[in-house]
Amino acid sequence: MIKLIVGLGNPGQKYEDTRHNAGVWMLNSIAKEYGASLHSETKFSGLVGRFKYASQDIRLLFPTTFMNLSGQAVIALSDYFKIQSEEILVLHDELDLEPGTVRLKKGGGHGGHNGLRNIIQHLDNQFYRLRIGIGHPGDRNQVTNFVLKMPSDKERLAIEKGIDIGLKHLPEIIKGNMQKVMNQLNQKPKKPKQAIQPLQSETNPEASRSTVLSEETNTAKTINTIGKAENQGLNTD
């Protein structure tokens, strides 16, 4: 069961609407959805909140240490409340997924994400991650500039759509039904099957039959005409 949900991002008005703060956007949505309020806690180096789910306290954390020091806040709160790595869900922006896409994952590397890197350094890599797609600039040299900029209105709507998908699956994630959620989120949409065009005879068998009968009648008339001509020819000889 998940007992701690961490939303990664950078603090301050300058960064609040940037792509790198997608994890915080979702954390705020969770707080709103479950009636929790976030407030500053110095000993946890961040904004914290809490709500109950199935009689269990679920804690929320937004590390305000800046992204590359996120692990300090996560280890401080998890140690204090004796929360294990596998009971932690980290929400973060993901370059390798398109806006509107979310994926659930456990373990693995940091993939160049400084927030994940620091959490792994302070804790380990056995926590769960909800990866929120923000897209990729197409050039690795532009990544830093890309994540620290605001998305377009169209991209923002798509990212928020992905967050809504994550919210829909959150109860199952909290309950620990991870494989079920992974299967659902990783499922590719099925392509619609193209209808096979029937043959003309299959489309209107009666019309086809009429055509055949008409052709047979015309053939008979032709044979009859030829026969008459041949008979006339014989008579003149």
Side-chain angles (χ1 to χ4, degrees), residues 172-190:
E172 293 297 328
I173 295 174
I174 290 175
K175 288 186 288 187
N177 296 327
M178 305 304 187
Q179 195 58 53
K180 176 182 177 181
V181 175
M182 288 179 187
N183 291 341
Q184 291 174 344
L185 291 180
N186 295 344
Q187 191 176 48
K188 294 182 179 179
K190 294 181 179 179

Side-chain angles (χ1 to χ4, degrees), residues 140-159:
R140 60 183 300 178
N141 295 318
Q142 297 177 13
V143 164
T144 300
N145 189 47
F146 179 78
V147 299
L148 294 178
K149 278 191 173 181
M150 294 172 56
S152 66
D153 291 343
K154 183 179 179 180
E155 288 175 327
R156 177 75 187 237
L157 286 173
I159 294 169

Side-chain angles (χ1 to χ4, degrees), residues 22 30 50 64 68 116-117 138 140 155 176 183 188 195 210 236:
I30 293 171
R50 181 183 63 173
T64 53
N68 61 345
L116 295 176
R117 187 200 309 270
R140 60 183 300 178
E155 288 175 327
N183 291 341
K188 294 182 179 179
S210 298
T236 55

